[in-house]
Amino acid sequence: QGQLLESGGGLVQAGGSLRVSCTASGSTFSNYAMGWFRQSPGKGREFVGAIAWNGDSAISADVVEGLFTISRDNAKNTVYLQMNSLKPEDTAVYLCAARLFTMQTRYQQYIYWGQGTQVTVSN
């Protein structure tokens, strides 16, 4: 059983930074790879990045220009998405997801999902 809760979204000006967090329930968090996805009108759900159980991370080439990074703190059952140089195109609901061990880019490969946190980037 898993339950995820995102936080840290908000309104930020273009060029600014924001860090969103995802906290997981349960005591087996360290066994899971965590993924970040985002949803926006007209774009659907797209992969942002992921981090494996061992801390290895990957960022989608589609968002790397925004200087996004992923980290995790297993002691806090939390994964972070640091977003720098944000653009209006980054406006979306950001969701975290979990699966065992290895990273995947397809949302269908993730079992547990949070409800998302809204990130809005203004000009």
Side-chain angles (χ1 to χ4, degrees):
Q1 183 179 3
Q3 188 173 19
L4 308 176
L5 180 62
E6 301 94 338
S7 63
L11 177 65
V12 63
Q13 294 186 57
S17 300
L18 202 65
R19 188 179 74 167
V20 293
S21 304
C22 175
T23 300
S25 64
S27 58
T28 60
F29 176 78
S30 62
N31 294 327
Y32 285 83
M34 304 296 297
W36 281 100
F37 296 80
R38 63 186 182 186
Q39 296 182 152
S40 61
K43 292 185 178 180
R45 183 155 50 190
E46 63 176 332
F47 174 74
V48 176
I51 185 166
W53 65 273
N54 64 356
D56 291 339
S57 63
I59 300 294
S60 171
D62 294 332
V63 300
V64 69
E65 292 183 79
L67 302 177
F68 290 8
T69 57
I70 293 177
S71 62
R72 67 190 296 162
D73 187 339
N74 289 345
K76 297 181 179 179
N77 283 6
T78 300
V79 63
Y80 305 96
L81 176 65
Q82 177 69 45
M83 299 179 285
N84 300 322
S85 300
L86 283 163
K87 304 175 182 178
E89 308 93 89
D90 296 318
T91 296
V93 174
Y94 284 74
L95 305 101
C96 69
R99 69 184 309 277
L100 283 171
F101 300 117
T102 57
M103 298 178 288
Q104 296 289 341
T105 60
R106 291 173 53 84
Y107 70 87
Q108 295 91 340
Q109 298 297 316
Y110 289 83
I111 299 174
Y112 304 110
W113 290 85
Q115 65 180 6
T117 184
Q118 176 71 45
V119 173
T120 302
V121 184
S122 64
N123 292 117

